[in-house]
Amino acid sequence: MSWLDDTDDLDDDFEDYDESTIRTRPNPKANRPRTKRRPAHEDAEVGRVLGVDRGRYSVLVGEDTPDERMITTTRARELRRMPIVTGDQARVVGDTSGDEGTLARIVGVVERTSLLRRSADDTDQVERVIVANADQMLVVVAAADPEPRARLVDRYLVAALDAGIRPLLVVTKTDIADPTEFLTHFDGLDLRVFTSAQEEMPVDEIGAALVGHSTVFVGHSGVGKSTLVNALVPTAGRATGHVNQVTGRGRHTSSSTVSLRYQGAEGTGWVIDTPGVRSFGLGHVDPANILAAFTELAEIAENCPRGCTHLADAPDCALIEAADRGELGETGRARLDSLQRLLQTFADKAEQAPGR
């Protein structure tokens, strides 16, 4: 006798049960499984990120149109690992009216034209993104109080050239000390220099250079950067400080990076004020980008042996040989000296790297 003969009786025993009696625990996250497909957000508006404060982004939409307005946004969850910084062109959805109490959402960032970065130190490969889409950098340095640091300015210049940003230089407090000797350090560089004194601040001249550009202001604490920003943008209200007479260091007054609209007689531009820093790591920079900024020297360097450092002790360097033959001229010789000084920064960085 087979057990299969009793199957009809077994079916009768379970006839009171069906799938409708099964109790399941609901999915705590959603009723349907998550999908990797994301909405396209074809209706997203594009706006300029002007500042970031505790997870909220101030975004200007409808720029230079009658419908221009400021909105407050947060970032979409899928962008939580992506840095969104001042200067970004963000794609926003949701309530973009700008009315009080409304909150829109950033769902994407337009491809950046430039990205200014720094690292904590020269051995740190982790990048700290400062600003996006700037095309100029205005380096602010004081002729005295605090004393100017040529090497720090070099680092700013290296970061600008690596990002493809045009550098400018303004020397403040020239009524306290003569900056002539300090400025000889930059002979040969394609660098426009402004000088400023307490009673003779070249606001109009600097302002004319800002028109049509997005310019990031950088500088050591206490050099007068916030004072200059307030003079250029009277509504900025950036806090100003003083220099400690014992340490010679300035007190940090600007704690965040913010974009401010410059409005001059010749047009408008954007001033991006950044917190003062006492160090500027270059662990992320590619030295090849520095040579590329010296166009005429880069052409000659194509004849250098592979791996040439172009430093003063580099063997068979085509740049050094051209200088020795007098082919570079006085200006070219000065530009080579400037290039070698900037490249020396990376040689020093390699010496400081772990394991050396």
Side-chain angles (χ1 to χ4, degrees), residues 140-177:
V140 184
V141 61
D145 191 29
E147 290 297 317
R149 296 167 54 191
R151 289 299 180 184
L152 179 59
V153 176
D154 282 347
R155 288 173 173 271
Y156 286 133
L157 298 179
V158 166
L161 296 176
D162 177 68
I165 298 174
R166 179 194 178 198
L168 308 169
L169 176 66
V170 57
V171 184
T172 64
K173 306 183 184 180
T174 55
D175 51 323
I176 299 177

Side-chain angles (χ1 to χ4, degrees), residues 108-127:
V109 174
V110 177
E111 184 177 359
R112 294 153 168 164
T113 58
S114 69
L115 196 61
L116 181 63
R117 306 161 292 169
R118 74 180 181 98
S119 54
D121 55 56
D122 288 343
T123 61
D124 186 359
Q125 297 299 319
V126 178
E127 301 175 0

Side-chain angles (χ1 to χ4, degrees), residues 8 55 62 78 83 90 116 129 135 195 204 220 255 287 293-294 314 316 326 334 349:
D8 291 340
E78 58 266 27
L116 181 63
V129 180
D135 62 336
T195 56
D204 293 338
H220 190 291
S255 59
F294 293 78
D316 302 321
K349 179 186 73 172

Side-chain angles (χ1 to χ4, degrees), residues 47-95:
R48 180 190 297 268
V49 177
L50 299 185
V52 185
D53 182 21
R54 291 170 291 183
R56 294 294 185 263
Y57 301 82
S58 299
V59 178
L60 184 69
V61 295
E63 184 176 337
D64 295 329
T65 71
D67 197 30
E68 179 180 291
R69 62 202 181 279
M70 183 82 71
I71 65 174
T72 301
T73 72
T74 185
R75 71 167 69 201
R77 180 178 297 179
E78 58 266 27
L79 299 181
R80 63 185 180 275
R81 296 184 180 275
M82 178 181 182
I84 300 175
V85 298
T86 302
D88 267 325
Q89 291 289 326
R91 302 178 65 243
V92 295
V93 298
D95 191 338

Side-chain angles (χ1 to χ4, degrees), residues 18-32:
D18 58 34
E19 292 181 356
S20 65
T21 63
I22 299 175
R23 300 181 63 183
T24 60
R25 179 176 296 178
N27 185 339
K29 295 184 177 180
N31 292 328
R32 289 181 294 181

